[in-house]
Every structure is written in C-alpha cells, then in structure tokens.
Amino acid sequence: MEEKIKSAQEQALSEISQAKTSDDIELLRVKYLGRKGLVNALFGELSSVPAQDKPKVGNLLNRLKIAVSSALDSAKGKTIDAGPAAAADSIDVTMPGRKRSLGRLHPLTQTLDNINEIFLNLGFKIAEGPEIETIYYNFEALNIPLDHPSRDAFDTFYIDDNSLLRSQTSTVQIRVMEKVKPPLAIISPGRVFRPDATDASHSFMFHQVEGLMVDKDIKFSDLKGILEIFVKRMFGEDTRMRFRPHFFPFTEPSAEVDISCIICKGKGETASAGGGKRCSVCGGKGWLEILGAGMVHPNVFSAVGYDPKKWRGFAFGMGVERIAMLKYGIDDIRLFFENDLRFLRQF
Ligand code: DAH
C-alpha cells in the first residue's frame, strides 16, 4: 500500500509538471482529486489495511492529497494562458470584429476647401487676418462712417473702446494692401462674429470668404467674369447669375449677386401632382442671394496708401454657411455647430 501511494504521488507530480494549459490541469485535478479520482480510490482501500497500519497509511494518503492539490494550484499559476495579460493576448477568432468608423471633414470645411480651390486655380492667393480687430480695420479704413448702423453695439461685439471681434473678413483687404504692392489677387477665409440671436438662419459666429483683386485696369466685367466661373464651378454649369445694385461703403458701385435657385432652377416653383408648387428654397423668387461685391472705393485705396487714380480693384464677400446650405439643401444653420453625427455623417 505504501508503495502504491508513493508511485501514485510520483506519477501525479510528474503529470502535473508537464501540464501546459489550465484545461490540462483541470483534467488532472479530476483524475486525481475528483470524486472517482485516484486519491479517493486509495482512501477506499484503507478499509482493507490491517488495523495497526491504518494511522500511518491514512497519514500518507492525507499527505498525498495535500501534495497533489498544492502541485495543481502552483501549476495553475504557470500555465501559458494564465493571468489577465495572457487572456488579453489570446485572440478569439469567433468574436465579432470591433468596427472603427472613419472620420470625415466637416461640411463647412469641405465647402471652404471647395471655394479655396476654385480661387487658387484662378491665381488667387490665400491671406488670413486676426479675429480680434481694431475699429480702424473693421470700419474706418473700410470707409464705414461713424454713424453707420453696423458700428452699433447691437451689430458688433466690442471688447473695449478700440478692439472688437471682427464682423466681416473685409478687414483683411486693408491688412493685405498695407503690406503688399499691387497687382494682387487674394481671398481670405475666416470666422466672423455678430451679436445676432441664434435661429435657423443666424449664428453669432459664422464664416466668410473675402476676395480682392487690384491691378492697373481692373473692370467691373472682370469681377463678373471671375464670379461667373466661381458660381458655375461651385453650383453647376447651368447656374445663372445676376447682379442687383446695392450699397456697401467700401465699394462703388456695389452689387448683391444672386444665383438661379438650385432647387427649382430659377422657375420659382417645383413640379408636383396638381401642377406647380411654390419653391420653398427661394420662396418662389427663382433667385438666391449669395454674396456682396463691387469696385474698391477710392477712399479705401487712399487709406492704405494706394493712388486711387492709378489702381483699380474689385472686392467681394460671401458667407460660407450660406453657400453650404444652398449647395447641400440644408435648412438650419445651427446644424453645422451641434456636432450631431446623424447630420455630419451625411457629407
Ligand atoms: N463685408 C460684407 C458683409 O459682411 C460683404 C462684402 C460686400 C464684402 C461687398 C465685400 C464687398 O468685399 O465688396 O456683409
């Protein structure tokens, strides 16, 4: 019996030392310590051991049990699949994959990139200016008189007596002309700020792209030609354009520029079952305003030290949100700034 116990112990410890995975160890635990396992079977044989040997054999059996059990426990800590690190390393190929969604450019960034590219291809350079400006750059140098309504605190975020958040990118016209001698052709994309109550078509912050071209004999027809190319590349070849007389202090003459409605194609109504239905995008007018423009005012040239008799130029300014809304048929400006992925994923 003593021999039997000894060889059982040797066999068990050697098998346990060769176990590699926790499954192997569980099988060995069942084989030796299970209800029908070897150790229990040996305990069963204790009844046939002579009475005087029982305490000794019983003692050996108990030691066997303890030896096997502790060998199993310490082997478990060494298996190749042991520990949290090992668990993380092992790959369960039957698990569903973890999907990483690809990011994309914000629709406003896409629109800005589009606008920039069109003008870069026409030879314009990009110029940027500060968002915190002085009264001089935002108004004075742009020939905006002291009593002009846009100077009112209702229309401009003043920081102190002299500085403000720029309300238009026209400021960059001045900053560029102060530094560069003509001829020049620049566009200036950037953020502008106005204390408007937020609604579907107003935001206290939005983006503009300013344009400026100065040379010896720039004509109004150059402005028209450039804008016509822009409009067709941006909204499609069949888009028409019209100029309406308007007033801006920094250009003379000035105009507002409309494009034929991209939804109803200028007809003012969209086809529907019982005949035409008033187009909801242009409100039946057939035209959509997209920008302001004109020939640079002589006072603006004088402010930057250009001789108004020598130089001619045109300027224009457009709202990027408005262009994006028209291009993609978006009816609420707030959608651009809410970070709602259901909206952003559509672009
Ligand atoms: N700065 C004008 C605005 O914010 C837009 C504008 C109109 C810019 C006419 C120009 C221009 O350069 O010539 O409403």
Side-chain angles (χ1 to χ4, degrees), residues 167-170 173 194 206 208 210-211 248 250-251 254-255 291-295 314-318:
S167 60
Q168 49 183 356
T169 45
S170 306
Q173 290 187 32
R194 292 181 193 178
F206 58 99
Q208 287 188 333
E210 190 79 10
F248 293 104
F250 32 87
T251 42
S254 305
L291 54 84
M295 301 304 289
F314 66 71
F316 58 84
M318 65 183 93

Side-chain angles (χ1 to χ4, degrees), residues 17-34:
S17 73
Q18 282 162 36
K20 290 195 176 65
T21 68
S22 50
D23 283 353
D24 295 345
I25 288 171
E26 278 320 298
L27 286 175
L28 289 171
R29 190 185 297 279
V30 171
K31 178 173 173 185
Y32 289 102
L33 301 181

Side-chain angles (χ1 to χ4, degrees), residues 238-250:
D238 57 348
T239 313
R240 284 168 295 127
M241 184 178 72
R242 76 173 182 188
F243 281 61
R244 268 181 299 106
H246 198 78
F247 173 78
F248 293 104
F250 32 87

